[in-house]
Amino acid sequence: MVFKRLLGSLGVGGPTVDTVLDPGAVRPGGTLTGQVHLEGGQADFDIEHITLELVARVEAEHAEGESEGVVAFERFTVGGGFRLAAGRRHSVPFTVTLPWETPVTELHGQHLGIVLGVRTELAVAGARDKGDLDQLSIAPLPVQEAVLEAFGQLGCGFRSADLEYGHIAGTGQQLPFYQEIELTPAPQYAHQVNEIEVTFLANPGGVEVVLEADKRGGLFSGGHDALTRFTVGHHESRDWTAEVDAWVRQLTEHHAGAHGHGGPYAVHDHHGHHAHQDHGGHHRSGPGMGTAVAAGAAGLAVGVAGGMVAAEVVDEIGDFFEGDEEDEG
């Protein structure tokens, strides 16, 4: 990678910064490691602090429609308090712990269309500049992968994934947004639901699995959304296919009152579900990276539609965040 010039508030001739993440995907709640490489400018500079910022492209729905923006969801100060001599190179290694709710960006090495990045902020002589952006790759936790694999075994297909701004009521959600993985229903559920949406809210003790179904309307009733929640431990061993099948069947029932094996669940109507959000309608359509990823050949195998490959995903991430910084300026 080439060193990226810090312009803007630091000006030409200032230091350059290049953050290099160690290769491989990281899991939610895991450790992200790498190094921040600095190269001195045309004069000596006092480096006040080096901060890594986790950023995500998030969708928000409101009365006027849908919009997208960048949300910073964690910051880590990894160095600072030293003088960088003109023309000298200096590297700062780092190890930071990711939030448990960090969204999953890939499944079996295939991109889901979720845009996450690590942005490096350098504070020099009272000025701050965000001089480097790197793609962040997040693989699912074992229990998350097991649940998704079970959906695939049952015949559900991957449709898309996105990040939604807002909070799901009644959960332990910590971040200002949540991830939705949208699935096509298996044939045995297709007469009852149009799609199934899966949200994972991980924490140190386990994972809350929130399932939502856009239910088909009958002859005398309109369609509506149903929501259920289950809690599973990180190291639980279950017949996940049977478990998830039971979850979906409870989700598609027209009444609630039982308790699933994973703990109590609740079913809310469409409006009750959206009381948690700061925006209007729930279902999304229109362009975006989330819709660029289509169902694969079998199960939840993820294929990439339109010929978009990993390099193009990275390019789009860079273009998106660069546009965001221009807007900030």
Side-chain angles (χ1 to χ4, degrees):
M1 296 177 66
V2 298
F3 282 97
K4 297 176 174 61
R5 178 67 60 187
L6 279 176
L7 302 174
S9 55
L10 300 186
V12 177
T16 58
V17 60
D18 180 28
T19 298
V20 178
L21 306 179
D22 287 345
V26 186
R27 297 186 190 271
T31 55
L32 178 69
T33 58
Q35 295 196 44
V36 179
H37 299 299
L38 303 175
E39 184 172 350
Q42 297 175 3
D44 294 352
F45 283 90
D46 290 320
I47 307 299
E48 296 173 0
H49 69 73
I50 304 167
T51 299
L52 303 180
E53 190 175 56
L54 305 185
V55 290
R57 176 174 134 175
V58 177
E59 297 181 1
E61 295 179 8
H62 40 78
E64 292 76 24
E66 183 180 281
S67 61
E68 294 180 333
V70 174
V71 173
F73 61 97
E74 187 62 279
R75 287 172 61 87
F76 309 97
T77 297
V78 297
F82 61 90
R83 172 160 290 195
L84 182 63
R88 294 294 298 272
R89 294 192 176 192
H90 181 75
S91 294
V92 178
F94 62 84
T95 299
V96 298
T97 302
L98 297 179
W100 280 98
E101 290 180 19
T102 301
V104 174
T105 67
E106 63 178 57
L107 184 62
H108 302 305
Q110 295 294 314
H111 290 279
L112 300 181
I114 298 298
V115 183
L116 294 185
V118 179
R119 193 157 55 181
T120 306
E121 179 183 279
L122 201 61
V124 180
R128 297 183 182 184
D129 212 332
K130 295 165 180 159
D132 193 16
L133 177 77
D134 294 270
Q135 178 192 15
L136 182 58
S137 297
I138 305 296
L141 292 163
V143 69
Q144 294 173 333
E145 186 169 335
V147 169
L148 292 174
E149 286 294 325
F151 274 107
Q153 290 295 322
L154 290 166
C156 295
F158 177 84
R159 177 172 287 165
S160 65
D162 58 22
L163 304 181
E164 290 284 335
Y165 187 79
H167 189 275
I168 302 176
T171 68
Q173 182 184 338
Q174 300 293 312
L175 296 184
F177 57 83
Y178 55 92
Q179 181 175 21
E180 285 187 338
I181 299 173
E182 300 180 6
L183 308 177
T184 58
Q188 62 267 33
Y189 316 130
H191 66 288
Q192 294 175 296
V193 298
N194 293 311
E195 70 176 10
I196 299 171
E197 297 174 347
V198 183
T199 294
F200 295 113
L201 298 174
N203 58 66
V207 179
E208 286 184 88
V209 184
V210 182
L211 301 182
E212 183 180 5
D214 177 15
K215 298 175 71 172
R216 294 185 185 277
L219 182 60
F220 301 106
S221 63
H224 64 282
D225 287 357
L227 186 76
T228 71
R229 293 186 295 114
F230 303 89
T231 301
V232 296
H234 285 296
H235 305 293
E236 289 190 40
S237 178
R238 305 186 186 184
D239 180 346
W240 287 110
T241 303
E243 187 83 9
V244 171
D245 180 60
W247 291 355
V248 176
R249 293 188 185 282
Q250 291 186 31
L251 178 67
T252 57
E253 287 175 358
H254 290 282
H255 65 277
H259 290 276
H261 295 296
Y265 72 96
V267 177
H268 305 271
D269 62 20
H270 185 81
H271 299 290
H273 173 40
H274 291 108
H276 71 272
Q277 300 186 32
D278 297 327
H279 42 73
H282 182 64
H283 295 283
R284 294 154 307 283
S285 61
M289 285 189 60
T291 58
V293 183
L300 281 188
V302 179
V304 183
M308 178 176 284
V309 296
E312 292 172 331
V313 174
V314 175
D315 288 343
E316 181 144 349
I317 289 172
D319 292 344
F320 183 82
F321 287 120
E322 285 172 13
D324 168 65
E325 291 186 7
E326 289 170 3
D327 293 342
E328 291 176 359

